[in-house]
Amino acid sequence: MKRTPEPELMQIPSQVRAYAEADFSRSDSMVVKSLEKYLKKIGRTLNKSDLIFDMACGPGNIAERIAKNWPFVNVVGIDGSKEMLNEAENKLSENFKKNLSYQLIDINSITTGEIYFPFKADIIVSNSALHHFHDPHSFWGALKKIGKTKCIHIHRDLIRPTSEEKAFEVKEKHLSDSPGILKKDFHASLKASFTVEEVSQQLVDAGLSQLEVFQLDELYFEIIGCI
């Protein structure tokens, strides 16, 4: 199935609210678990000087989980949608305000140099971010600019199905009881996503071949490593 890009930013209030209210807890928790496993694998212990970016953080679900898991580490959620960050900040509890904050930044503008972000991360994570970019190299370009040397990366995203029929089948299998607007957006996201082979080539082209990409299940691939 040929890739069909979707809007880069989720701005429509009804879409934002449906996404914010959806239960993505399993997928969100897996990002944190992957980070825990990788830190253990490389023998890395986080400390209070470390900085973690959650790119295209949306309503802040993963940023909050990371802030809770490592309360002594500074966590910054970055997104280009003001509506999404409003959702994130509205539910930000007092418990997280000491080590979690949000920044409204168009990630493409980091790549082009229109915005200079003065801080560099020790760890960068994202979930279902890559497929929103019309030009995926813009995403990788931004990550290279805002990560420190030896920055740890954990990125997950959807895998584009092989056909329109398969996309419909996957949507009905995983979101059968979800609101219509969420099912519609999920279907669009599947069509906008990349294959594992395409992502592998993107990493080579971006000079990021040190990162490993592999398929997790029928829905997701994961990119992990240190650059």
Side-chain angles (χ1 to χ4, degrees):
M1 181 171 65
K2 185 178 179 180
R3 181 183 186 235
T4 305
E6 62 178 348
E8 290 198 336
L9 297 176
M10 193 176 287
Q11 306 273 27
I12 300 173
S14 58
Q15 288 180 301
V16 171
R17 179 53 57 89
Y19 188 90
E21 292 179 350
D23 182 9
F24 296 120
S25 56
R26 181 178 179 275
S27 176
D28 294 343
S29 66
M30 289 305 295
V31 175
V32 180
K33 288 179 181 177
S34 289
L35 178 54
E36 287 178 322
K37 286 177 63 176
Y38 188 71
L39 289 171
K40 184 176 181 180
K41 176 182 175 180
I42 64 174
R44 173 84 148 80
T45 301
L46 298 187
N47 57 64
K48 62 182 181 181
S49 66
D50 285 316
L51 177 61
I52 301 177
F53 289 162
D54 179 10
M55 302 298 286
C57 65
N61 299 339
I62 292 175
E64 283 193 8
R65 285 177 179 269
I66 293 173
K68 181 179 180 180
N69 215 47
W70 292 281
F72 50 86
V73 172
N74 287 317
V75 181
V76 179
I78 297 173
D79 204 286
S81 168
K82 188 175 187 302
E83 287 72 16
M84 274 295 189
L85 291 189
N86 285 342
E87 290 285 342
E89 290 174 342
N90 286 340
K91 65 186 181 71
L92 182 60
S93 73
E94 290 296 330
N95 295 332
F96 299 136
K97 287 186 176 179
K98 290 183 178 179
N99 73 316
L100 172 58
S101 61
Y102 295 103
Q103 292 283 337
L104 178 63
I105 297 175
D106 181 348
I107 295 171
N108 288 302
S109 66
I110 298 175
T111 309
T112 61
E114 295 173 57
I115 288 181
Y116 171 69
F117 201 57
F119 306 105
K120 291 186 180 292
D122 299 277
I123 297 172
I124 304 177
V125 306
S126 72
N127 188 38
S128 294
L130 178 62
H131 77 262
H132 279 285
F133 288 81
H134 292 177
D135 179 2
H137 300 295
S138 183
F139 180 69
W140 302 120
L143 299 193
K144 290 170 71 174
K145 286 192 173 185
I146 62 175
K148 294 179 182 177
T149 302
K150 302 298 183 182
C151 179
I152 294 170
H153 288 262
I154 306 284
H155 306 287
R156 286 167 58 97
D157 210 333
L158 295 165
I159 297 172
R160 189 173 75 252
T162 54
S163 66
E164 181 70 41
E165 293 75 20
K166 183 63 176 178
F168 180 82
E169 177 186 317
V170 169
K171 177 188 69 175
E172 292 303 313
K173 177 180 178 181
H174 293 278
L175 271 77
S176 59
D177 298 326
S178 300
I181 189 170
L182 193 64
K183 292 172 73 172
K184 181 180 178 181
D185 285 343
F186 181 70
H187 188 78
S189 292
L190 287 172
K191 294 170 67 175
S193 298
F194 298 97
T195 66
V196 171
E197 292 74 20
E198 288 169 344
V199 175
S200 294
Q201 188 60 52
Q202 289 172 22
L203 293 174
V204 171
D205 293 343
L208 298 173
S209 56
Q210 309 97 310
L211 300 179
E212 179 186 5
V213 55
F214 53 91
Q215 184 167 339
L216 294 171
D217 50 35
E218 71 169 351
L219 271 183
Y220 288 100
F221 63 77
E222 184 168 270
I223 299 163
I224 193 165
C226 184
I227 59 173

